[in-house]
Amino acid sequence: DNNEYVLRGTKGGDDKQPPCICTPCPRQEIDDATTRLYKLASVMGWFKGGHVDITGNIWGNGPALSGSRDTFTTTLDGGKYFSCNYMPIIEDDQVRKALAFLREGRRLRRVHEPYAFLSFFKVLESQFTAKDRVAWIQAHLDHLDRDAAKRVAVLRDQGLDVGKHLFDSGRCAIAHAGLGGAIVDPDIPADRRRIAEDLDVIAALATRYLRVEAGVPDEMDLYRDRDRTVPWHKLLPAETLRRLQQGEDVVDASLFGHLEQTKVSVRLWPNEAPEPLRNMTLV
């Protein structure tokens, strides 16, 4: 989105340090830059199916070498290399807020489940009026799967209105502690278990909103739907593109004749092309 970021990775051994994200900015604009970093973290976490949490920041004359070593957390397992090419650019401010609440919910899920529930609920609460939110939840409960679908079935077997239950016994009971009102009591194991089980439902609804209603793709959506012929649109005839986009093999040399003897290079972005792969002749 016309901003520059430098992602620095981990170092192993005794001097292990966490990764960090750097972006250039004047010192008086550090809050604006931090907002950009949060936005990038939201999109990156969504895109990779996890979360990226920014736990602090520093400002200096050059890119920082490390982040806060005591509080770094990651959802990446195994090898640390990953590709974040083709991440979506979020221009709608409402969608940005939804992604921010989702990032917060995923970060809190293994830390504080009631507060994670609130953050996931805010994904929906920030997008709808109360009446429209109730209708949307009701319309999408039957589209959930896995643990969320199992929990919906259990709640319905108990004769509960699932949407009302999520609001009354979840969102309101967590957010409020009025005298004599319903609360989620931190000392009652049954309350904690119930919220943990309901968390599957509200997290799934929040994810479904972003994917289905907001249309924000993650890397699996992109892998399935991305038009890989886009870089060739200016180079190939319309008929050739049409056949490629329909999944056909195009072997008729005449359809590519105008590209014969074109000079090409091959590179892996953002690196420049290595010398042996520069100025090759296309045949």
Side-chain angles (χ1 to χ4, degrees), residues 9 17 47 53 57 125 217 225 243:
Q17 64 185 37
F47 192 69
D53 187 37
N57 64 68
E125 199 168 38
D225 299 331
R243 291 173 59 182

Side-chain angles (χ1 to χ4, degrees), residues 9-263:
T10 59
K11 287 185 177 180
D14 295 335
D15 191 31
K16 185 176 181 181
Q17 64 185 37
C20 64
I21 307 171
C22 307
T23 190
C25 77
R27 186 162 196 160
Q28 65 272 21
E29 297 177 9
I30 193 167
D31 281 355
D32 292 338
T34 304
T35 293
R36 293 204 313 270
L37 292 176
Y38 282 129
K39 182 177 175 180
L40 177 69
S42 294
V43 175
M44 190 183 301
W46 166 263
F47 192 69
K48 299 301 295 182
H51 76 271
V52 176
D53 187 37
I54 296 176
T55 57
N57 64 68
I58 58 174
W59 185 91
N61 291 325
L65 297 177
S66 66
S68 174
R69 75 174 64 231
D70 294 328
T71 56
F72 171 72
T73 57
T74 178
T75 54
L76 293 175
D77 294 323
K80 297 298 182 184
Y81 172 81
F82 64 96
S83 170
C84 54
N85 288 344
Y86 305 106
M87 289 197 306
I89 293 175
I90 306 302
E91 297 177 327
D92 187 306
D93 198 54
Q94 285 297 102
V95 176
R96 176 196 62 78
K97 291 175 184 176
L99 281 168
F101 288 129
L102 187 89
R103 181 193 77 232
E104 186 180 67
R106 287 181 173 178
R107 170 68 179 89
L108 290 168
R109 187 155 191 175
R110 301 291 180 259
V111 177
H112 197 293
E113 290 170 328
Y115 289 171
F117 186 104
L118 273 184
S119 292
F120 287 128
F121 198 95
K122 287 177 185 177
V123 172
L124 304 179
E125 199 168 38
S126 65
Q127 308 300 304
F128 296 106
T129 64
K131 182 179 179 181
D132 290 343
R133 184 190 69 244
V134 169
W136 188 91
I137 289 175
Q138 191 62 38
H140 288 264
L141 285 171
D142 289 333
H143 295 282
L144 305 184
D145 57 9
R146 302 181 183 176
D147 289 341
K150 294 177 183 177
R151 180 59 177 168
V152 168
V154 168
L155 293 173
R156 284 174 171 168
D157 287 344
Q158 295 173 2
L160 295 173
D161 179 322
V162 178
K164 189 174 187 301
H165 169 79
L166 293 173
F167 183 75
D168 293 343
S169 298
R171 186 260 189 226
C172 290
I174 295 168
H176 304 296
L179 187 63
I183 67 169
V184 175
D185 192 325
D187 288 344
I188 305 301
D191 281 7
R192 302 178 74 102
R193 285 194 298 269
R194 176 177 58 77
I195 286 299
E197 291 166 349
D198 290 347
L199 188 56
D200 290 327
V201 181
I202 196 62
L205 287 168
T207 300
R208 181 171 177 80
Y209 172 81
L210 281 161
R211 176 170 287 116
V212 175
E213 296 294 333
V216 183
D218 62 16
E219 65 177 346
M220 297 307 296
D221 298 325
L222 190 85
Y223 180 82
R224 182 184 65 245
D225 299 331
R226 182 168 67 89
D227 180 358
R228 289 161 179 78
T229 68
V230 167
W232 296 87
H233 283 186
K234 296 180 180 180
L235 301 174
L236 297 178
E239 177 61 17
T240 307
L241 280 172
R242 185 189 67 77
R243 291 173 59 182
L244 286 172
Q245 288 168 339
Q246 290 181 345
E248 298 181 30
D249 291 331
V250 180
V251 295
D252 185 349
S254 66
L255 294 176
F256 297 94
H258 69 293
L259 296 178
E260 191 77 16
Q261 303 303 307
T262 299
K263 295 296 183 180

Side-chain angles (χ1 to χ4, degrees), residues 5 81 83-86 266-272:
Y5 304 93
Y81 172 81
S83 170
C84 54
N85 288 344
Y86 305 106
V266 177
R267 69 188 184 111
L268 179 64
W269 184 90
N271 303 309
E272 294 300 323

